[in-house]
Amino acid sequence: MPLNRRTFLGTSAAAGAGVAIAGASAVPASAHGHGHGHGHGRPPKRYSFTVMGTTDLHGNVFNWDYFTDKEFDDKAHNDVGLAKISTLVDQVRREKGRRNTLMIDAGDTIQGTQLSYYYAKIDPITAKRGPVHPMAQAMNAIGYDAAALGNHEFNYGIPVLRKFEEQCDFPLLGANALDAKTLRPAFAPYVIKRMRTPHGPDVKVAILGLTNPGIAIWDKANVSGKMVFPGLEEQAAKFVPRLRSMGADVVIVSAHSGNSGTSSYGDQIPYVENAAGLVAEQVPGIDAILVGHAHLEIPEYFVENKQTGKKVVLSEPLKWGQRLTLFDFDLVWEKGHWVVEKAGSQVLNSNTVAEDPKITRLLADEHKKVVAYVNQVIGTSTAAMTTAEAAWKDEPIIDLINVVQAETVKAALAGGAYAALPVLSQASCFSRTAQIPAGNVTIKDAAGLYPFENTLEARLLTGAQLKDYLEFSARYYVQTPAGAPVDTAKLTNADNTPDYNYDAVSGLTYEIDIAKPNGSRIVNLSFEGKPIDPAAEFVLAVNNYRASGGGNFPHVAGAKQLWANSEEIRNTIIAWVQAKGSVDGAQFASVDWRLTREGTPVF
């Protein structure tokens, strides 16, 4: 999410002003002031503990990028992976005392790297005498207490998820992942942990796990008829009072749901995608929420509960193991039970520590296997291609995705009722660093072009609907008047639209006039050299995320599905390159779209 993180963090810092900052719990418990009318001059009993949290690990164990085959690095020099997190966790446990800490996660664990892909598809954990998933091995070694389910947990189907669950020494929580027939939780909704205190009575800490309702849309093929996913707020409202009545002194929610209150899927389902803040605001009795899903960094953010006026602390550590959240709780013994006097949070940066050799040694063999796998040569390329400028130019490397998708759909529809219709295709610039080198092409090169586990569908759209679709896509560009200078660093991602929600469509030709306002930017939209017929029918080769409403593009989610398969698009690309033996951009590259202002091309 490239834009506006700073302004968001500014507001969250302001919201937290006047509330004690985390880290205060490092003060010995007895040093806190007296108070709370205990009388008798005896200081009240106090206890402090820390809950550590990660989220959106997405299959990262090592500080390694399997797509570039080298150590992970980005502009901010972040590091990734559970091996780094493990070092931070050990430091915190040494400082606070192991028994005064808990370790939790907010989901999206088993999908995202070639490491996690390998153990889902190439050497699957579900095989008879199959391996133990690297993420289960690493998280068990670190000693997690619980993890919420993320939406990407469902990408490989329920059997892989169940096997992963079986391999974990801690529960996978999902109070709003229900069995479709019985409407009872299909996973453990919560876990209650007891913290031993020096004062006799234990502190009971309840961890409630909530996942994302969007699973019903995004992984429809895997969950339809098997599981349903009601809203986070309604399930939290059901379980939090139950946990309090069971004697929970502290209630922590681990929610695979962002804080913005928005949804990417419009009104297709009545539940909010990013509901963590709403849960804090609407459900009394929650002390803290570990936020996931949005891939934002929120060190500390306070939301006031509407009924009680109590402040709930929220924190989201950055994805892939780049940050570790610490929630610090200070408790006081009052009227026969423990009461949270103060709660705060902060994040630690994993780039400040070395990888834990305990974790890297544990998974060295798995890592080696996957590095060898991604470096297999599958073909050659006549020229180098890159996505460096694909966010504002029609580049051959994106045409490659589109030609593979269009050919796959054409072959699938051949001989059927829709065989005669023209096939168009949509693709996004998922990564601005993807490249196909001249010469040998490996699995990692082809897979790096499509980092998501999306599958392919064919949907039926009209010319008029396609124009709406393209207009919606074109909102990605910042309006730039004719004659004004164009800075590519500021041209894209208008209104925080991520790169993966900008689609280029091949098989048509069109211009995007960036001087015009949203909704009237698509100019000279043509098919086979003639203006498009609004009533004509077309087949759109489209990924399942988009087809199921991801990004909220118009028409496509409601359009007739002509075909779908469960093969990942990146594997289809790999197989296509293998079958052809050679990739020659001259055979498929064409400039179908360009940015213009009043008819003059921008580039």
Side-chain angles (χ1 to χ4, degrees):
M1 313 284 173
L3 287 184
N4 258 350
R5 183 181 301 159
R6 196 173 286 109
T7 53
F8 177 76
L9 291 180
T11 56
S12 71
V19 176
I21 305 302
S25 59
V27 178
S30 57
H32 286 284
H34 303 285
H36 297 280
H38 285 259
H40 313 304
R42 272 209 318 269
K45 295 173 188 168
R46 294 181 181 279
Y47 175 68
S48 298
F49 73 98
T50 297
V51 176
M52 297 174 279
T54 50
T55 190
D56 297 278
L57 292 166
H58 284 288
N60 286 282
V61 173
F62 296 84
N63 185 41
W64 193 260
D65 183 343
Y66 294 96
F67 293 132
T68 58
D69 202 24
K70 50 181 191 271
E71 204 172 308
F72 177 88
D73 197 24
D74 65 9
K75 281 195 191 103
H77 301 303
N78 287 303
D79 287 348
V80 300
L82 279 170
K84 292 256 177 180
I85 290 294
S86 185
T87 304
L88 289 175
V89 167
D90 283 348
Q91 286 179 1
V92 173
R93 284 175 177 156
R94 273 198 304 277
E95 185 199 332
K96 311 274 185 187
R98 168 90 198 221
R99 59 189 235 179
N100 301 321
T101 65
L102 292 171
M103 179 74 195
I104 63 174
D105 182 81
D108 277 6
T109 306
I110 59 168
Q111 172 280 334
T113 59
Q114 289 298 90
L115 179 73
S116 52
Y117 175 78
Y118 189 87
Y119 288 97
K121 294 283 199 172
I122 308 299
D123 183 8
I125 59 172
T126 44
K128 212 173 182 165
R129 296 196 190 83
V132 177
H133 200 291
M135 294 303 284
Q137 291 193 55
M139 291 170 87
N140 290 343
I142 289 167
Y144 273 78
D145 292 288
L149 293 164
N151 49 290
H152 284 285
E153 260 61 88
F154 293 85
N155 286 172
Y156 297 119
I158 292 169
V160 169
L161 173 52
R162 287 297 188 194
K163 189 66 187 178
F164 174 68
E165 179 186 32
E166 199 181 294
Q167 294 177 343
C168 291
D169 297 342
F170 51 90
L172 299 184
L173 307 177
N176 61 331
L178 311 183
D179 180 283
K181 295 188 177 61
T182 64
L183 297 184
R184 296 168 70 120
F187 293 83
Y190 60 83
V191 64
I192 294 179
K193 308 296 283 189
R194 285 176 173 269
M195 313 294 286
R196 303 286 302 278
T197 75
H199 305 295
D202 292 350
V203 173
K204 284 194 201 161
V205 182
I207 301 151
L208 177 68
L210 295 168
T211 191
N212 207 290
I215 296 164
I217 290 181
W218 305 317
D219 263 304
K220 193 176 183 174
N222 290 326
V223 299
S224 187
K226 294 174 189 151
M227 290 187 197
V228 293
F229 302 88
L232 288 89
E233 310 94 308
E234 80 175 57
Q235 289 303 101
K238 200 164 164 177
F239 279 98
V240 173
R242 194 179 299 178
L243 293 168
R244 288 291 182 185
S245 71
M246 288 162 72
D249 302 298
V250 182
V251 174
I252 299 162
V253 174
S254 184
H256 193 75
S257 181
N259 184 45
S260 63
T262 60
S263 299
S264 68
Y265 38 71
D267 55 6
Q268 285 187 82
I269 50 174
Y271 310 117
V272 177
E273 178 182 350
N274 294 301
L278 298 172
V279 170
E281 193 180 86
Q282 293 173 20
V283 181
I286 296 168
D287 295 293
I289 302 182
L290 178 65
V291 178
H293 184 63
H295 292 200
L296 289 169
E297 183 176 335
I298 308 175
E300 182 182 60
Y301 183 68
F302 289 91
V303 172
E304 192 172 296
N305 183 271
K306 280 189 167 158
Q307 284 182 43
T308 62
K310 197 183 137 212
K311 283 192 159 58
V312 183
V313 63
L314 278 65
S315 179
E316 181 175 10
L318 203 54
K319 64 182 187 295
W320 306 347
Q322 295 178 29
R323 303 289 182 275
L324 176 70
T325 280
L326 304 188
F327 288 108
D328 289 307
F329 297 95
D330 294 344
L331 278 63
V332 62
W333 181 256
E334 259 187 13
K335 300 187 182 125
H337 62 106
W338 289 106
V339 177
V340 176
E341 189 174 49
K342 191 169 77 187
S345 63
Q346 57 178 314
V347 294
L348 304 181
N349 192 332
S350 69
N351 74 5
T352 59
V353 294
E355 291 188 312
D356 183 345
K358 172 180 86 203
I359 303 296
T360 53
R361 273 200 305 270
L362 177 69
L363 292 160
D365 289 352
E366 286 84 343
H367 178 63
K368 265 200 214 84
K369 269 186 202 166
V370 175
V371 168
Y373 162 74
V374 299
N375 282 293
Q376 287 174 47
V377 173
I378 51 170
T380 58
S381 175
T382 55
M385 297 185 274
T386 160
T387 54
E389 298 190 317
W392 53 87
K393 283 184 188 170
D394 186 348
E395 292 283 13
I397 197 163
I398 305 296
D399 293 339
L400 174 61
I401 300 175
N402 277 326
V403 76
V404 172
Q405 292 184 165
E407 283 186 12
T408 304
V409 166
K410 269 183 197 136
L413 298 179
Y418 299 95
L421 290 181
V423 177
L424 315 176
S425 176
Q426 62 75 231
S428 305
C429 172
F430 294 114
S431 154
R432 297 196 187 188
T433 55
Q435 53 188 331
I436 300 285
N440 284 348
V441 178
T442 62
I443 282 178
K444 75 165 191 277
D445 299 324
L449 196 51
Y450 217 109
F452 294 103
E453 257 76 11
N454 296 342
T455 57
L456 191 59
E457 295 194 12
R459 296 279 178 136
L460 187 65
L461 292 171
T462 64
Q465 288 175 326
L466 282 159
K467 183 167 191 298
D468 289 347
Y469 187 100
L470 292 169
E471 286 288 6
F472 184 88
S473 188
R475 305 184 318 167
Y476 171 74
Y477 295 106
V478 173
Q479 189 172 0
T480 312
V486 174
D487 175 359
T488 54
K490 296 186 182 135
L491 178 63
T492 60
N493 308 99
D495 294 323
N496 287 341
T497 303
D499 292 349
Y500 62 76
N501 277 342
Y502 169 66
D503 286 358
V505 174
S506 75
L508 300 166
T509 55
Y510 57 98
E511 293 167 21
I512 300 171
D513 189 333
I514 58 169
K516 291 196 158 83
N518 284 338
S520 55
R521 291 181 168 181
I522 302 299
V523 185
N524 298 329
L525 177 58
S526 307
F527 174 66
E528 292 183 340
K530 298 188 198 69
I532 200 163
D533 175 0
E537 288 187 321
F538 296 87
V539 177
L540 182 65
V542 59
N543 70 53
N544 69 310
Y545 174 77
R546 187 71 76 238
S548 61
N552 205 21
F553 275 61
H555 307 306
V556 68
K560 185 180 172 74
Q561 185 190 71
L562 307 181
W563 172 84
N565 79 348
S566 60
E567 187 59 64
E568 288 165 19
I569 292 166
R570 65 164 160 225
N571 287 341
T572 307
I573 296 170
I574 290 166
W576 187 90
V577 174
Q578 274 172 320
K580 291 266 192 258
S582 167
V583 176
D584 179 3
Q587 291 182 353
F588 58 77
S590 63
V591 178
D592 296 326
W593 62 273
R594 54 166 52 94
L595 302 186
T596 58
R597 287 182 296 185
E598 293 171 4
T600 308
V602 177
F603 301 108

